[in-house]
Amino acid sequence: MSEPILEMRNITKTFPGVRALSDVSFRVARGEIHCLVGENGAGKSTLMKVLSGVYPHGSYEGEILLSGSPQRFRGIADSERAGIGIIYQELALVPDMTVYDNILLGHELRSGVTVDLNGTIKKATEMLAKVRLQLDPSTKVRDLGVGKQQLVEIAKALSRDVKLLILDEPTAALNEDDCDNLLDILRGLRRDGVTCIMISHKLKEVIRIADTVTVLRDGRTVRTLDAGKGEVSEGILIQHMVGREIDDVYPKRTSKKFGDVVLEARNWTVYSHGLGRTVLKDVNFTVRRGEIVGFAGLMGSGRTELARSVFGNPDGYRVEGELLVEGRPVRFGDPRAAIDAGVAYASEDRKRNGLILIQDVKQNITLANLRALAARGVVDGNAETKVAEDYRSALSIKTPSIDQKVLNLSGGNQQKVSVAKWLFVRPKVLILDEPTRGIDVGAKYEIYTLMNKLVAEGMSIVMISSELPEVLGMSDRVYIVSTGRITGELPVEEADQEKIMRLATS
Amino acid sequence: MILKDLRSALRSNIREYGMYIALVVIMGIFTIATQGIFISSRNIANLLNQTGYIAILAIGITLVIVIRHIDLSIGFLSGFLGAVAAIAMTAWGVSTWIAILIVLVLGTLAGLLTGYLVAGVGIPAFVASLAGWLIYRGALLTVTLKTGTIIIPNEDFNAIGNGYIPDILPADTAFLPELHKLTLLLGILAIVWLNVRAFQERASRQKYGLEVLPGDMFALKQLFLSVVLSLITWVVAGYNGMSWTLAIVIVVALIYNFVTTRTVLGRHIYAVGGNPEAAELSGVSVKKITLTVFGSMGMLCGLSGVLFASRLQSATTTAGTLFELDAIAAAYIGGVSAAGGVGKVTGSIVGAIVYMSLTSGMNLLGTDISLQYIIRGAVLVAAVIFDVQTRKAKS
Ligand SMILES: Nc1ncnc2c1ncn2[C@@H]1O[C@H](COP(=O)(O)OP(=O)(O)OP(=O)(O)O)[C@@H](O)[C@H]1O
Ligand SMILES: [Mg+2]
């Protein structure tokens, strides 16, 4: 191997109560695509934050060498200057600014004291071409889908002459087409000599794209595998990640017994004032007791709007049609009413509207059902602690204590907290919007097992997911949503990826 | 060993302790500069009485800022309501208690109105309450127009701002003759209660395996707290004892502290402040919480108006001027964050004491008023810088 572009030696990083990285060494060869995998909380994001200077020199132990020369970054500005670009787990674009302004944000082209508008647009257009994104650079970022926003992020990084591009779970929120496209673009960058480090929980795509894979577990490097030598396969990766084998990604249901219809919508039509259009039209669906109902469809097909309009309509859409819970017509004025009637909704965007990041694990878990822990309005602190501890161990939430702020948890563990919150409500119907986004294989398996257990106990689950294998692996029945209409309903035995894709794009 | 523990405990709780340290430092400096006059019982009693009406407003505004809003109207609302109380007693001839009740109800309604504009109509709180500032100022001028300053004759009303709680033993008893016995007793009870509570809390956290201060640090902290409280009790008991104002502030603080830390309502307030969207989706009505918080703010304006009017024994045309800024400054010194979801009621009260200590100390020293403003501004900025820095260092 030629001299590595990056070498991190014996990196140790501790937070109060947590050793996130211990003695990690990490080498990346010039021009390769290097994937970093590991369970939630393994330390992947932390390692990349050490590399990019988010955690400055002195706040960790160990050495960073770029092309052989030691680096001491005091902040992101330093690492940027050294040619490192990082795209975080959560997108960092300004939604109300144009694409070209976003791309050049922080590095504005100037003519005199003013911003050189034409130059900016020209440069932005060049960068967009590099990521093969054809769009008017004066579009507002808000109006783009997640897939395109992701590409704009990459374009933004490229505009700064990066030599080493870090992508933290770039495909977590993307559908398959957008994923394929992104992987293609990374291959293109490799041809142009850019080195990429990609973090991902989607092992299939890791196998497709990686030249080398490094596996982290519990803050240590477990193994570095060379794809060229055929060392990378899903089984091997899983084994190194979780330390044991998982034969079946989707646990088997022991019994399938469905009861009466618990939730039903008839001619559900939703009009959004914000978007100025009808987002759902004449939607009919039923959910039976003990059933897992999957909702498949493309990003933006209206599944989240459907869930939110059912769940007390916090967005203030104009809603027509009928909703029945256990056969009785209902009309929820707000989420509280829906929760009280036994309908719960775990949102897809946990950071924005799922969790209260500055509060601790305990407070987040109990928030939606505090009344159950209170007598005459006073919260019973001991009971609360007990509940939180129970869910922490039931879902194996990885945190030094339930007093830890959710902010400090790894992405996957945050997701578990948000699921725990809704389990504590003990709903009749639990709507899970992208429940395993950003979750590692082991934890996914735990969440699936939990879902199976819940339906066995008589709960019903609505699962909105953009990952077709997951929909097929977990659901009993699948509805396919396309541009605000239900275009198909299939028992899972009759469903396959191809059929669903056809219906989803019709 | 102890030193090392002390350092790490201080470091991880620096924000909370920092304010107390600042208070001690400020008091120390003024005590030296005034050759002890500052710390005299008489001056401290005065200081606490002056802090009263600002502390009450600071408690209310803390919650408003916690839910990411602001209320600029509180100063003149408090002034206006003080005038209403005076008019009720003098012109309408109602009793002191009815007057106070009227003012509290009116204040709550005014607060709910602002809350409705913010939560129901969707007007930014800054604008809605700026309008309130103008309106209540006009209202205050209108009601005091004919008479100018309204002198309040009711003695029981004026006692609120100037009187002291009665003593259990007559003052000439041989036992501790110079001191106010009931105040001493209350102080001792408070210290015992605080220590018992802290001990229980610690035991229950340990039972669940949660992190607690190391034993020696815990003991040190409780000792420090007890000593400080004893000193305060001693000083306060040395001059007429506890004033009614101080008693009211303590009761209000206890209630608000309880509500914010222990009740469902309190948790919902902080949830809304921390992430309104997530709170709404968790079944917390952001609208109701907003109305509640503004309503409570209005009620506290009424109380603060009563305290101020009774202290002056009259309602004046300028009552309430700049109270809002003093209260907001106190809340920020006390550690509330404009980003929402962070800030304690107790912090804001200490913030108010810090802020009023500055004023009182500088007045004793005869510092020029223009310089006083500059120093107060500098302290405010310093406190918030400290806050931001410690928060950054922690995450
Ligand atoms: N600021 C912080 N304060 C305290 N602990 C932290 C902080 N940031 C991360 N951690 C802890 O460090 C560990 C590693 O976290 P990290 O975010 O690197 O995980 P990850 O591998 O990226 O996981 P995921 O796949 O879930 O994103 C976790 O246990 C996390 O709780
Ligand atoms: Mg991560």
Side-chain angles (χ1 to χ4, degrees):
Chain A
M1 206 161 51
S2 66
E3 184 195 35
I5 181 166
L6 167 72
E7 188 167 5
M8 298 178 80
R9 282 190 196 149
N10 309 97
I11 305 286
T12 296
K13 166 84 192 161
T14 50
F15 297 106
V18 192
R19 174 169 282 225
L21 298 171
S22 40
D23 210 16
V24 168
S25 295
F26 182 57
R27 284 165 70 103
V28 179
R30 193 177 303 280
E32 71 170 347
I33 296 181
H34 194 126
C35 286
L36 194 55
V37 301
E39 287 184 294
N40 297 125
K44 307 178 296 290
S45 300
T46 306
L47 186 65
M48 291 304 106
K49 285 183 187 163
V50 166
L51 172 56
S52 60
V54 173
Y55 301 131
H57 179 80
S59 71
Y60 58 88
E61 290 156 40
E63 262 189 303
I64 300 176
L65 302 164
L66 272 187
S67 306
S69 65
Q71 305 288 332
R72 301 179 159 200
F73 301 136
R74 279 158 303 167
I76 306 186
D78 282 357
S79 73
E80 244 174 34
R81 226 168 288 129
I84 297 178
I86 180 161
I87 297 172
Y88 295 102
Q89 210 159 345
E90 26 315 298
L91 295 177
L93 297 170
V94 186
D96 282 315
M97 277 170 46
T98 59
V99 168
Y100 63 74
D101 273 335
N102 265 290
I103 291 181
L104 273 293
L105 186 63
H107 294 247
E108 289 80 2
L109 300 179
R110 275 166 231 223
S111 59
V113 290
T114 56
V115 171
D116 173 6
L117 189 61
N118 292 329
T120 302
I121 296 179
K122 181 159 170 288
K123 176 109 195 230
T125 313
E126 279 168 32
M127 292 304 137
L128 289 174
K130 276 200 189 173
V131 295
R132 285 185 266 155
L133 189 57
Q134 279 166 353
L135 59 80
D136 178 359
S138 56
T139 321
K140 289 232 166 81
V141 163
R142 184 184 289 292
D143 299 330
L144 300 179
V146 205
K148 288 191 174 152
Q149 290 191 16
Q150 190 67 261
L151 295 180
V152 172
E153 279 267 18
I154 298 180
K156 180 175 164 188
L158 293 180
S159 76
R160 294 167 194 188
D161 276 335
V162 289
K163 296 187 195 68
L164 180 60
L165 180 64
I166 304 167
L167 304 110
D168 195 349
E169 296 192 41
T171 58
L174 301 190
N175 64 32
E176 290 192 25
D177 281 349
D178 285 341
C179 273
D180 288 346
N181 188 27
L182 188 102
L183 296 190
D184 268 352
I185 285 159
L186 293 188
R187 287 192 193 100
L189 291 177
R190 175 167 59 187
R191 272 195 299 280
D192 298 342
V194 179
T195 312
C196 292
I197 302 175
M198 181 171 95
I199 298 179
S200 179
H201 287 294
K202 296 188 177 173
L203 299 181
K204 294 221 163 58
E205 82 192 17
V206 168
I207 290 163
R208 273 168 58 201
I209 191 137
D211 299 308
T212 314
V213 183
T214 293
V215 184
L216 285 187
R217 185 166 82 223
D218 293 333
R220 291 167 197 281
T221 331
V222 179
R223 190 64 64 84
T224 296
L225 304 160
D226 189 340
K229 295 186 192 145
E231 292 174 351
V232 177
S233 78
E234 201 167 339
I236 295 180
L237 287 181
I238 292 178
Q239 206 178 333
H240 285 309
M241 278 170 68
V242 291
R244 66 189 151 89
E245 284 176 55
I246 296 180
D247 328 313
D248 201 349
V249 190
Y250 304 102
K252 283 277 162 299
R253 290 265 281 284
T254 43
S255 74
K256 290 197 181 192
K257 262 191 278 154
F258 306 138
D260 298 336
V261 171
V262 193
L263 180 69
E264 177 172 6
R266 292 185 189 150
N267 300 322
W268 197 251
T269 299
V270 173
Y271 176 83
S272 158
H273 301 280
L275 298 174
R277 62 183 169 85
T278 305
V279 286
L280 290 161
K281 194 152 173 50
D282 286 328
V283 168
N284 292 288
F285 69 86
T286 57
V287 182
R288 288 174 293 175
R289 187 180 310 286
E291 190 179 30
I292 299 182
V293 178
F295 276 76
L298 300 179
M299 204 70 59
S301 57
R303 292 166 304 162
T304 295
E305 286 82 355
L306 176 58
R308 290 175 67 110
S309 62
V310 166
F311 182 66
N313 192 16
D315 312 284
Y317 299 134
R318 197 175 70 221
V319 178
E320 283 158 30
E322 259 187 290
L323 190 67
L324 300 102
V325 173
E326 294 179 320
R328 275 186 303 278
V330 287
R331 186 113 283 205
F332 302 138
D334 54 22
R336 181 81 253 159
I339 296 169
D340 290 342
V343 179
Y345 167 71
S347 79
E348 59 178 338
D349 190 340
R350 57 182 173 250
K351 293 227 161 147
R352 223 189 59 205
N353 48 32
L355 295 167
I356 298 174
L357 295 174
I358 57 166
Q359 292 193 349
D360 60 31
V361 172
K362 178 177 68 182
Q363 288 171 327
N364 272 283
I365 290 180
T366 58
L367 177 62
N369 200 14
L370 260 185
R371 283 182 213 164
L373 293 170
R376 270 177 271 112
V378 182
V379 179
D380 177 347
N382 290 342
E384 186 184 23
T385 305
K386 188 161 172 348
V387 165
E389 286 289 357
D390 287 349
Y391 282 105
R392 174 195 178 187
S393 56
L395 296 175
S396 14
I397 298 170
K398 202 176 159 208
T399 171
S401 99
I402 54 171
D403 277 349
Q404 180 75 295
K405 283 190 183 158
V406 167
L407 189 72
N408 294 335
L409 262 53
S410 77
N413 284 300
Q414 291 180 345
Q415 180 70 354
K416 289 187 190 174
V417 172
S418 114
V419 171
K421 169 168 83 177
W422 291 112
L423 294 184
F424 179 49
V425 173
R426 300 236 129 250
K428 297 186 184 107
V429 183
L430 175 57
I431 307 173
L432 297 171
D433 200 347
E434 307 286 358
T436 62
R437 179 178 288 172
I439 290 198
D440 69 60
V441 270
K444 262 187 196 165
Y445 188 83
E446 282 162 27
I447 288 198
Y448 295 147
T449 312
L450 189 74
M451 286 168 67
N452 285 348
K453 182 165 153 262
L454 293 171
V455 289
E457 290 166 6
M459 196 186 279
S460 310
I461 292 181
V462 172
M463 182 177 73
I464 298 173
S465 172
S466 302
E467 284 185 50
L468 286 184
E470 172 174 279
V471 173
L472 291 169
M474 288 303 296
S475 320
D476 300 311
R477 207 151 44 88
V478 184
Y479 286 103
I480 297 99
V481 185
S482 169
T483 55
R485 281 168 310 114
I486 290 202
T487 51
E489 175 191 352
L490 298 169
V492 75
E493 300 79 25
E494 292 170 27
D496 59 40
Q497 296 218 14
E498 215 173 302
K499 265 191 206 163
I500 292 181
M501 273 323 279
R502 198 150 9 90
L503 289 165
T505 48
S506 67
Chain B
M1 182 62 208
I2 289 209
L3 266 182
K4 199 170 144 236
D5 275 358
L6 183 63
R7 208 167 319 136
S8 86
L10 272 182
R11 196 169 299 148
S12 53
N13 294 300
I14 183 78
R15 166 65 242 183
E16 215 184 321
Y17 300 156
M19 201 169 43
Y20 294 94
I21 296 171
L23 183 58
V24 171
V25 169
I26 289 174
M27 290 192 153
I29 291 176
F30 282 129
T31 303
I32 294 168
T34 59
Q35 280 136 21
I37 301 177
F38 181 84
I39 203 72
S40 70
S41 289
R42 192 192 150 89
N43 187 55
I44 292 293
N46 247 322
L47 167 68
L48 291 175
N49 286 352
Q50 271 168 18
T51 310
Y53 49 89
I54 295 299
I56 294 286
L57 290 178
I59 291 173
I61 202 74
T62 303
L63 299 188
V64 175
I65 299 174
V66 161
I67 63 165
R68 307 180 174 198
H69 291 302
I70 192 69
D71 192 340
L72 299 176
S73 69
I74 56 176
F76 284 119
L77 178 56
S78 145
F80 170 61
L81 291 173
V84 170
I87 292 171
M89 287 180 292
T90 52
W92 309 340
V94 303
S95 75
T96 298
W97 300 112
I98 302 290
I100 292 176
L101 192 70
I102 292 176
V103 161
L104 293 184
V105 169
L106 279 182
T108 311
L109 290 178
L112 286 175
L113 178 64
T114 316
Y116 173 72
L117 290 176
V118 174
V121 185
I123 299 176
F126 192 94
V127 179
S129 66
L130 183 58
W133 187 95
L134 293 165
I135 291 168
Y136 298 131
R137 176 168 208 189
L140 173 61
L141 290 176
T142 310
V143 296
T144 51
L145 187 66
K146 281 194 296 270
T147 49
T149 299
I150 307 168
I151 305 292
I152 301 171
N154 298 39
E155 269 175 26
D156 42 0
F157 185 87
N158 292 337
I160 297 172
N162 301 292
Y164 295 85
I165 60 172
D167 205 348
I168 30 176
L169 298 172
D172 51 7
T173 331
F175 174 64
L176 297 175
E178 296 291 302
L179 295 174
H180 191 268
K181 265 69 82 188
L182 182 56
T183 305
L184 269 189
L185 185 67
L186 287 174
I188 292 166
L189 287 178
I191 292 167
V192 170
W193 182 73
L194 274 178
N195 278 306
V196 170
R197 277 292 326 248
F199 196 77
Q200 283 172 343
E201 176 98 352
R202 183 179 149 88
S204 114
R205 285 180 66 88
Q206 269 172 334
K207 199 174 100 203
Y208 288 100
L210 296 177
E211 200 188 339
V212 290
L213 281 179
D216 49 352
M217 278 307 103
F218 176 73
L220 203 64
K221 180 181 167 191
Q222 290 310 119
L223 187 70
F224 179 74
L225 213 72
S226 307
V227 168
V228 170
L229 272 179
S230 314
L231 279 177
I232 294 176
T233 308
W234 188 265
V235 171
V236 171
Y239 179 79
N240 291 346
M242 186 190 280
S243 64
W244 282 115
T245 303
L246 182 56
I248 290 173
V249 172
I250 289 176
V251 169
V252 172
L254 284 176
I255 293 173
Y256 271 77
N257 188 46
F258 178 78
V259 169
T260 50
T261 56
R262 303 283 303 282
T263 67
V264 174
L265 174 63
R267 297 283 289 275
H268 284 179
I269 290 173
Y270 283 88
V272 167
N275 185 347
E277 276 187 72
E280 181 77 35
L281 285 181
S282 301
V284 178
S285 168
V286 174
K287 207 166 162 177
K288 266 190 218 153
I289 295 293
T290 310
L291 279 174
T292 310
V293 167
F294 274 98
S296 107
M297 180 76 253
M299 185 193 67
L300 293 179
C301 286
L303 184 56
S304 138
V306 167
L307 287 181
F308 189 67
S310 97
R311 184 156 177 77
L312 298 191
Q313 312 192 356
S314 61
T316 64
T317 52
T318 54
T321 311
L322 292 185
F323 284 11
E324 67 278 357
L325 297 187
D326 287 346
I328 293 169
Y332 276 107
I333 292 175
V336 55
S337 150
V342 176
K344 285 190 193 164
V345 169
T346 44
S348 296
I349 292 172
V350 180
I353 298 178
V354 168
Y355 197 68
M356 294 312 265
S357 299
L358 279 177
T359 312
S360 153
M362 289 190 294
N363 280 340
L364 280 183
L365 289 176
T367 313
D368 189 52
I369 188 76
S370 46
L371 190 58
Q372 288 201 16
Y373 277 117
I374 294 172
I375 291 177
R376 278 177 2 198
V379 169
L380 174 62
V381 169
V384 178
I385 289 175
F386 179 71
D387 195 28
V388 171
Q389 291 299 346
T390 48
R391 237 184 269 284
K392 241 195 243 158
K394 249 189 154 177
S395 63

